Amino acid sequence: MYIIYFMILNNFIVFEGIDGAGTSTQMQILKERPEASKIDFSAEPTECETGRFLPQILGGKIELNPKTTAYLFAADRAEHVWGKNGIVNSIQNGKAVIIDRYIFSSLAYQGVSCGKELPRLLSKDFPLPEILFFFDITPETSLARIESREISEIYENNEYLTKTRNRYLEIIDEYKKLKEAENMKIVMIDASKSKEEISKIIWSHLSKLPIFSM
């Protein structure tokens, strides 16, 4: 296994989960809180030039080798983290950063499509968040939610989502056992709960961060 660069970024929070887990809904709820002025919100793929075409890959409009896709997502992430208006810059300017999807998505989704080693290699230098929220949901519930969407993605089928969820759980277990990553708080969320219940759980953890008590 590749050694990951275990830099923890304070005030950096990541939401993860398979499609339909409700991460986007919780991002929207947070945007409506009074404390939202202290937060920069974003998602991956990004809206940077490096990420604007990636939804076309996810939507099946562009067909690429899975390894190529892994490299493209890593390039977009590099700009997201270290770019002019990226995560590091926001934190240095006194903001908290909450993003929907990060390296754990690549380790899970691309870990299924092109094997574990390449996503690990491409993720090894990225900093870790202070808090990782993992929204756990069954593929069956996920697909029931996804059916209402107008746009579908190439990963949205029971077999792939089952493998991805299992890979996510493996990854989280790996990080829990790594002493070097012990300062990254992992919060497991039952994503079948109501959005109100989940929102309360999330804020119970975020409210403890010093930035929100200032």
Side-chain angles (χ1 to χ4, degrees):
M1 178 177 178
Y2 292 97
I3 297 174
I4 297 174
Y5 177 46
F6 291 106
M7 174 184 175
I8 305 288
L9 283 181
N10 291 332
N11 297 322
F12 177 32
I13 299 99
V14 172
F15 287 179
E16 289 280 3
I18 62 173
D19 297 61
T23 55
S24 298
T25 297
Q26 293 303 318
M27 290 278 279
Q28 188 57 46
I29 290 172
L30 284 170
K31 289 177 182 179
E32 295 169 2
R33 290 192 64 92
E35 297 85 358
S37 61
K38 297 181 178 181
I39 306 169
D40 280 348
F41 297 93
S42 60
E44 294 187 358
T46 72
E47 295 183 357
C48 302
E49 293 297 330
T50 50
R52 289 180 184 172
F53 66 96
L54 293 177
Q56 296 181 62
I57 298 172
L58 295 174
K61 294 180 180 179
I62 299 175
E63 186 175 347
L64 298 175
N65 183 283
K67 292 184 178 181
T68 304
T69 300
Y71 278 104
L72 291 172
F73 271 90
D76 184 44
R77 182 167 298 123
E79 186 63 18
H80 193 195
V81 173
W82 293 297
K84 182 179 179 181
N85 298 309
I87 293 166
V88 170
N89 181 70
S90 290
I91 290 172
Q92 289 175 342
N93 287 329
K95 291 289 194 81
V97 175
I98 301 180
I99 70 170
D100 188 355
R101 299 196 178 283
Y102 188 51
I103 59 171
F104 313 99
S105 284
S106 287
L107 292 169
Y109 280 88
Q110 286 142 28
V112 171
S113 63
C114 68
K116 299 176 182 179
E117 293 307 302
L118 181 59
R120 280 175 171 167
L121 173 63
L122 296 176
S123 299
K124 70 183 182 67
D125 291 329
F126 290 107
L128 295 177
E130 184 171 3
I131 306 177
L132 166 62
F133 289 97
F134 177 65
F135 293 60
D136 191 25
I137 194 171
T138 65
E140 292 75 18
T141 304
S142 164
L143 288 169
R145 292 179 177 180
I146 290 169
E147 283 178 358
S148 62
R149 296 180 184 173
E150 294 182 2
I151 300 174
S152 62
E153 295 185 354
I154 57 176
Y155 302 130
E156 293 174 353
N157 62 76
N158 190 285
E159 181 182 2
Y160 200 98
L161 289 177
T162 297
K163 291 179 180 179
T164 303
R165 181 194 180 211
N166 290 339
R167 182 69 191 122
Y168 258 127
L169 294 173
E170 289 174 3
I171 293 161
I172 288 170
D173 190 51
E174 288 175 8
Y175 275 98
K176 284 180 177 178
K177 293 176 181 177
L178 286 171
K179 188 179 187 315
E180 297 89 341
E182 62 185 1
N183 291 326
M184 178 178 70
K185 185 175 186 178
I186 298 174
V187 180
M188 301 292 289
I189 291 178
D190 178 356
S192 67
K193 292 180 180 291
S194 71
K195 63 182 181 181
E196 292 80 13
E197 289 178 287
I198 295 172
S199 176
K200 288 179 181 178
I201 293 169
I202 291 171
W203 190 248
S204 73
H205 291 279
L206 294 183
S207 63
K208 296 174 184 175
L209 297 177
I211 191 171
F212 295 120
S213 60
M214 294 169 59

